[in-house]
């Protein structure tokens, strides 16, 4: 019997930084409930992201915008109740971090009700990141394709193909790190840009559709289990294709990330 159930075995941000420095790839998947969280944790996935993609794959919306802070706190609680070792990050949903004070109120919900270890927010919101970090809240940045800005962008498209935009994303990555972020997710950018950013940052960079040079990889769980049929982005892979069970598919993903077999050129921009 341990008095403090949370202490001791859970990975920390320090452990993830050590993995980057050692050149060991970090594997991450989204998780939204206790059963999958337990399975992913058991297989050895280091990072569980309670993504606002749940608005699409759990709630059936066409975007992540309808997801509320209550939804995020609820699913984060479900995930943290079951994990033992994995580090848990929760997405700040759309319009929940417009000011530093609003961000603090909402991040506190994800940490106190959801028991998240870190919160993730989209864009180079430097004042918000600095404020949260100053309050003791670990922050994960998210650059490249920002799904919460889909209405401004006009679709889910690769970002940073043009030199000027690539330079902007690199500069944003540097200031996000400078503001105190402990991790960075890079979504849907050319592999060469992601490589340059991963090389120039001290903090681990987790890629999705960002090529093989990132320090880690993340996919939407339901895409790699092939239960988002027809809607799976090109950068994702169906790991059920050669597996006889969900656990085997997750094991194949974890192994493929660790051995740099995933992402392959066909998953890369
Ligand atoms: N199921 C699911 N998987 C995801 O990866 C995901 C979500 N939902 N919801 C939130 C965002 C939206 N994402 C998406 C969705 C579609 C594409 C997509 O279809 N991209 C095109 C590229 C188009 C281009 O070349 O510019 C592709 O063919 O992959 C990319 C990212 C990633 N995230
Ligand atoms: C795709 C990842 C990076 C995400 O933000 C989500 O699942 O919401
Ligand atoms: Mg998200």
């Amino acid at each position: 019997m341990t008095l403090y159930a949370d202490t001791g075995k859970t990975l920390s941000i320090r452990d993830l930084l050590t993995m980057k420095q050692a050149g060991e790839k970090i594997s991450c998947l989204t998780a939204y409930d206790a059963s999958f969280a337990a399975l992913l944790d058991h297989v050895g996935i280091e990072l569980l992201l309670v993504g606002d993609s749940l608005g699409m794959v759990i709630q059936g919306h066409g975007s992540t915008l309808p997801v509320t802070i209550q939804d995020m706190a609820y699913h984060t609680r479900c995930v943290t109740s079951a994990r033992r070792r994995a580090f848990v990050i929760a997405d700040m949903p759309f319009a929940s971090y417009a000011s530093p004070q609003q961000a603090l109120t909402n991040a506190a919900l994800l940490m106190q009700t959801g028991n998240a270890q870190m919160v993730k927010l989209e864009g180079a919101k430097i004042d918000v990141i600095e404020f949260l970090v100053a309050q003791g809240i670990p922050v994960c940045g998210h650059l490249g394709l920002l799904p919460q800005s889909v209405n401004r962008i006009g679709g889910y498209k690769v970002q940073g193909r043009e030199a000027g935009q690539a330079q902007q994303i690199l500069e944003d990555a540097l200031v996000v790190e400078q503001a105190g972020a402990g991790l960075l997710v890079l979504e849907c950018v050319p592999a060469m840009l992601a490589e340059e950013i991963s090389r120039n940052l001290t903090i681990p960079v987790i890629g999705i559709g960002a090529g093989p040079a990132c320090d880690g990889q993340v996919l939407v769980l339901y895409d790699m289990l092939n239960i988002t049929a027809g809607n799976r982005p090109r950068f994702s892979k169906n790991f059920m294709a050669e597996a006889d069970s969900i656990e085997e598919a997750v094991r194949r993903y974890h192994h493929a990330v660790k051995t740099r077999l995933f992402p392959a050129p066909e998953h890369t921009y």
Side-chain angles (χ1 to χ4, degrees), residues 30 49 51-53 91 120 142 185 187 208 218 220:
T30 67
L49 172 64
D52 60 351
S53 54
D91 261 347
K120 178 164 80 58
H142 180 157
V185 165
E187 177 164 354
I208 173 165
V218 58
V220 169

Side-chain angles (χ1 to χ4, degrees), residues 175-217:
V175 295
V176 163
E177 172 172 88
Q178 202 57 46
L183 280 178
L184 177 67
V185 165
L186 261 188
E187 177 164 354
C188 286
V189 299
M192 274 182 50
L193 174 60
E195 194 205 325
E196 192 178 2
I197 291 171
S198 303
R199 216 176 341 99
N200 279 280
L201 295 197
T202 302
I203 61 173
V205 175
I206 311 298
I208 173 165
C214 297
D215 305 302
Q217 298 291 330

Side-chain angles (χ1 to χ4, degrees), residues 226-244:
N226 198 34
I227 54 173
T228 48
N231 295 312
R232 180 156 41 85
R234 190 178 75 93
F235 56 75
S236 197
K237 180 182 169 177
N238 171 16
F239 281 87
M240 280 302 282
E242 294 165 325
D244 291 326

